[in-house]
Amino acid sequence: DTEVTQTPKHLVMGMTNKKSLKCEQHMGHRAMYWYKQKAKKPPELMFVYSYEKLSINESVPSRFSPECPNSSLLNLHLHALQPEDSALYLCASSLDSEQFFGPGTRLTVL
Amino acid sequence: SQQGEEDPQALSIQEGENATMNCSYKTSINNLQWYRQNSGRGLVHLILIRSNEREKHSGRLRVTLDTSKKSSSLLITASRAADTASYFCATSFNNDMRFGAGTRLTVKP
């Protein structure tokens, strides 16, 4: 298995909802990442997990809460989001420097 | 936050022509990578060049790196309509990877 999968593909949520984005890889990669990408902009790093421990948190608001239950799974818990949080959320994993990206979750916050 | 700057922001060429995209960055790096993204989809890794390398080839792709000028270029030769996409450079230092603004390449058949 040489891919990163993300679910759901699309998510529409209200500002009071709680939802989670999921990411999975079975390539034995020990680093996993969350990025946020707005339309026509480059991806922006949000969080990095290395060996299941949070190693980088790019001053992301607390309404985004990452979780790494094991070496294959990465979650992003969402609560009380704002409409400006609407974006493509990309997950990636890496063994070395090359990062493998999932297809992303298109999030719309109403 | 964004690390690199890319130019041009948009490039439109005819099929068969070569496309050159440039990337500049500001801080120290371990390596520089180029990624491709089709509209609204995940990124695909194209090529990685380490800080001690100056040039690398992969198929129709040629990447150069000049660490003294903190710049890199991506050359796509003999372009095809299927090369139409956004291309991003990304600089890495440890696990921290930062993307440039990207170049939107359109290859007309």
Side-chain angles (χ1 to χ4, degrees):
Chain A
D1 190 350
T2 58
E3 64 175 1
V4 176
T5 58
Q6 288 187 246
T7 55
K9 288 185 179 179
H10 300 274
L11 178 61
V12 179
M13 60 186 291
M15 289 189 284
T16 58
N17 292 156
K18 284 185 180 180
K19 296 287 184 182
S20 297
L21 309 184
K22 297 185 183 299
C23 174
E24 192 167 359
Q25 58 87 14
H26 295 285
M27 295 179 280
H29 292 174
R30 306 313 294 225
M32 296 186 75
Y33 312 77
W34 280 115
Y35 291 86
K36 173 183 178 179
Q37 186 178 25
K38 302 284 277 185
K40 298 185 179 181
K41 295 290 186 181
E44 293 185 358
L45 184 65
M46 298 175 73
F47 302 105
V48 179
Y49 273 84
S50 180
Y51 291 90
E52 301 164 48
K53 291 186 179 177
L54 185 64
S55 61
I56 295 177
N57 176 343
E58 284 295 316
S59 301
V60 179
S62 59
R63 57 186 185 269
F64 295 92
S65 175
E67 178 197 18
C68 190
N70 60 56
S71 60
S72 299
L73 294 174
L74 185 65
N75 298 321
L76 186 62
H77 302 299
L78 314 172
H79 175 53
L81 294 194
Q82 303 297 310
E84 59 264 30
D85 296 323
S86 298
L88 180 68
Y89 288 83
L90 293 162
C91 173
S93 70
S94 70
L95 184 63
D96 191 357
S97 298
E98 178 185 346
Q99 292 189 17
F100 292 77
F101 282 82
T105 293
R106 176 74 59 189
L107 174 67
T108 302
V109 182
L110 301 177
Chain B
S1 60
Q2 193 174 309
Q3 157 75 305
E5 297 295 327
E6 291 179 64
D7 77 273
Q9 289 185 348
L11 179 61
S12 182
I13 59 175
Q14 293 294 135
E15 206 165 27
E17 293 180 340
N18 295 342
T20 299
M21 289 161 266
N22 302 297
C23 169
S24 61
Y25 58 93
K26 297 175 182 175
T27 60
S28 297
I29 63 171
N30 294 134
N31 60 68
L32 186 145
Q33 303 177 55
W34 285 89
Y35 286 82
R36 164 196 165 126
Q37 185 178 35
N38 287 84
S39 182
R41 297 187 179 180
L43 284 83
V44 174
H45 183 267
L46 296 176
I47 197 165
L48 179 152
I49 186 165
R50 300 193 187 282
S51 59
N52 61 352
E53 296 176 313
R54 292 295 167 259
E55 188 171 312
K56 210 161 181 183
H57 298 256
S58 176
R60 293 185 295 114
L61 306 180
R62 173 179 170 255
V63 167
T64 62
L65 178 64
D66 187 336
T67 52
S68 66
K69 294 181 180 178
K70 290 187 164 59
S71 67
S72 174
S73 68
L74 171 67
L75 168 67
I76 303 175
T77 61
S79 64
R80 306 165 182 168
D83 294 329
T84 294
S86 292
Y87 292 82
F88 295 95
C89 70
T91 54
S92 288
F93 190 78
N94 298 330
N95 277 341
D96 191 345
M97 189 161 78
R98 306 292 168 142
F99 286 85
T103 294
R104 176 68 194 170
L105 174 66
T106 302
V107 182
K108 300 174 185 176

